[in-house]
Structure formats: structure tokens, C-alpha cells
Amino acid sequence: MKLTDSFYGRQIDKALRSAPVISTEDFPKLVLFSDCHRGCGTWNDSFLNNKTIYEAALGYYYEHGFTYVELGDGDELWENRKFSDIEEIHTDIFRLLDRFRKAGRLFMLWGNHDRIKSRTGFKSSSLPPCSQALIIRFPASASGTDDTRYNLIHGHQVDILNNQLWKAARWLVRYIWKPLELAGIKDPTSAARNYSKSRVLEERMSSWAEANNTHIVAGHTHRPALSPATGKWSYSNTGSCVHPDTITCIEIHDGKITLIKWAECADSNQYIHVCRYIISGPRDL
Ligand SMILES: [Mn+2]
């Protein structure tokens, strides 16, 4: 284990220290999303492209009794200052989320882009209080094995610029990259757009999982992943809802974990539907 790994490991430990713990006995079907980056409906609202797909997926998960868990960056609050603007423009989406909330099936984590949700003064009529991390506990099976834990964080905890220096990062997004993005130039510091940076972050998180013999699921890199459970640890990533024409998520139920994508598809009569595809898995927890 490299020296820097222990530094980043401590950031993950810190995030998990106050994490709520939920059990699959109470929440047998879970779906994990992240990085929706819901915006203000302007053309740089990256979520807008996939809004219909997301809406269809949410409807499916609600009807099938899933609990919705969002691993941060659900709302784009760096480019936009007011959460109420996002809530207003995407009223239909927040109404769906509110149905999960009312059914007691909604858990929200905050990421670097929506860190202001961690403030005590943060109010929303449709969202529950947000946490930095969440732990899913799978009670020991009848065979007497130990409880399995899946540790959920956003992932910016292992990304210095987006964690300790998040105000500088937000400033860059708000005043430099957003205007450049409007001119067609992409933010080069974003993990979401930088392959080698994503790989470093993935390595930091998987090193932590390996060292602690446990499982981690994150977002932030926008790179969906479902690693095999090597011994008793694994690293998985929900991906994002802002891929060019796809959203990705992770389903956990019946002792299995599966990486899913939702996209538009046409049938033989040329009707367009929203379809659910398995990208990877299912594999045992
Ligand atoms: Mn992020």
C-alpha cells in the first residue's frame, strides 16, 4: 500500500464515520444512481438529454418496489446557484423522487457539486436530509458467515481538488469552465472527462477496499464499473446519468449486484421505447 493511499483512505474512513447504516432486511431491493447533474433546463444542462430515460427508469424502480439511493452530484449546484431553480424546472422528476421519499424509500448522498446539501440550513420539499456516505448491511446468512457491508460514497473524497479545495474547484467551474463549455471547450480537470485521472481515483478507492477487506461503491468518475469480488473486497461505480444517450445504475437485490444501463431502443415496428440492459453481472454480493 502506497503512502498516499493511506491519506486518501483516511478521507474515506472519515466520510464513513457518521454514515447511516441500512439493512437489506428493511430495504430488500436497492437501485443506486449518481451524477445526475440535474440543471436549470438551459442547453448546458447535461441531464436534459436523458431526462425521459431517467424518468422511465425511476417509474420502473418505483413500481418494482426498489429503494432509490443517489450517490451524490444529483443536482448541478456549481454551475447553478439556486436549488429551487432546478427543482422548479424539473418538477416532474422531483415529484417522482418525492414518491420514493413518502414511501420511505429514498436516500440521498451529497457530492462535490451538491455539497451545499450538507448544510443544516438546506431545505427542499422533495428531498430527505442528505448524508456524505451510507452503509448497506447484508445480515449474515444462515450458514453463519459475517455480515457483508457495502460502503457508499460519492468519491470526491479521494480527489484533492474536489474535496479540500472544493471552493477553488467550484470557482473554476463557475467562472472558467462553464463559460468555456458554452464555447464548446470541456473542463480538463473534471474526473468525468479525464481518463487517466479517473483511473487514479479508481485505484485509490479499490486500494482502500482491498486494505479493509470490504466493498465500496462510488460515483464521481462517471465511469460505470462492477469489479469482481476478489476475495472479500470489490470496487463498483454507478457511472452517471449524463452519458451522451444512456444512463447507468447499479441494482442490488436477492444477494446479487448488477450493472445496468437504460437507453432508447426501437422495436420492429419502429416504435421507440426506453429499455433496460444488463452491462455486467449479476454477480454474488
Ligand atoms: Mn463529483
Side-chain angles (χ1 to χ4, degrees):
M1 195 169 167
K2 281 172 267 154
L3 185 65
T4 49
D5 284 347
S6 65
F7 169 78
Y8 292 109
R10 281 199 299 279
Q11 309 306 312
I12 300 176
D13 293 335
K14 214 161 93 186
L16 288 166
R17 217 165 285 151
S18 55
V21 182
I22 61 170
S23 164
T24 49
E25 278 173 336
D26 304 319
F27 303 96
K29 293 166 103 178
L30 297 148
V31 63
L32 280 42
F33 280 92
S34 78
D35 299 86
C36 299
H37 292 272
R38 290 176 293 264
C40 281
T42 48
W43 78 264
N44 61 335
D45 178 351
S46 325
F47 170 74
L48 211 50
N49 263 354
N50 295 330
K51 184 173 175 169
T52 309
I53 300 172
Y54 178 78
E55 202 168 356
L58 248 58
Y60 169 94
Y61 289 120
Y62 184 81
E63 294 307 326
H64 286 78
F66 279 79
T67 297
Y68 178 99
V69 185
E70 193 169 85
L71 272 60
D73 284 4
D75 298 293
E76 181 44 70
L77 288 158
W78 279 9
E79 292 186 10
N80 312 297
R81 284 162 179 277
K82 283 170 72 186
F83 176 69
S84 55
D85 289 348
I86 301 172
E87 226 175 4
E88 199 183 308
I89 204 80
H90 296 304
T91 310
D92 39 357
I93 295 298
F94 283 94
R95 206 174 292 142
L96 282 173
L97 290 171
D98 195 40
R99 284 170 76 197
F100 282 96
R101 185 185 65 87
K102 286 190 178 126
R105 293 195 266 131
L106 182 65
F107 292 93
M108 287 276 179
L109 274 59
W110 49 266
N112 48 318
H113 285 253
D114 54 359
R115 194 181 186 120
I116 65 162
K117 289 179 182 167
S118 67
R119 291 187 189 153
T120 41
F122 177 79
K123 290 259 180 311
S124 156
S125 51
S126 45
L127 301 185
C130 300
S131 59
Q132 186 179 179
L134 182 73
I135 296 168
I136 306 173
R137 191 171 63 85
F138 302 88
S141 65
S143 62
T145 52
D146 290 345
D147 283 2
T148 304
R149 275 166 182 255
Y150 269 63
N151 303 282
L152 278 42
I153 56 167
H154 176 61
H156 64 276
Q157 290 84 356
V158 297
D159 186 353
I160 282 260
L161 179 65
N162 283 308
N163 195 18
Q164 281 83 354
L165 305 178
W166 71 277
K167 280 193 176 160
R170 182 178 70 179
W171 185 90
L172 284 167
V173 165
R174 199 171 270 173
Y175 299 107
I176 307 291
W177 307 130
K178 184 186 174 187
L180 284 178
E181 191 180 359
L182 288 167
I185 299 161
K186 301 289 188 190
D187 169 6
T189 65
S190 163
R193 301 195 182 103
N194 186 326
Y195 177 73
S196 55
K197 183 176 173 186
S198 294
R199 261 197 31 207
V200 170
L201 302 182
E202 286 163 357
E203 275 165 23
R204 284 174 191 158
M205 289 187 272
S206 33
S207 303
W208 176 87
E210 186 178 12
N212 291 278
N213 221 9
T214 190
H215 304 271
I216 191 163
V217 187
H220 188 59
T221 66
H222 294 197
R223 292 220 308 162
L226 183 68
S227 85
T230 315
K232 291 187 96 180
W233 69 272
S234 67
Y235 162 80
S236 303
N237 197 299
T238 41
S240 85
C241 297
V242 295
H243 306 290
D245 56 359
T246 295
I247 64 171
T248 55
C249 60
I250 284 177
E251 293 176 7
I252 296 178
H253 57 91
D254 299 305
K256 308 264 186 216
I257 179 165
T258 314
L259 185 60
I260 299 288
K261 88 168 186 183
W262 288 82
E264 282 182 4
C265 55
D267 66 16
S268 53
N269 295 314
Q270 293 84 44
Y271 285 109
I272 292 175
H273 302 262
V274 175
C275 298
R276 173 183 164 279
Y277 302 93
I278 292 176
I279 309 180
S280 182
R283 76 153 166 78
D284 292 332
L285 288 162

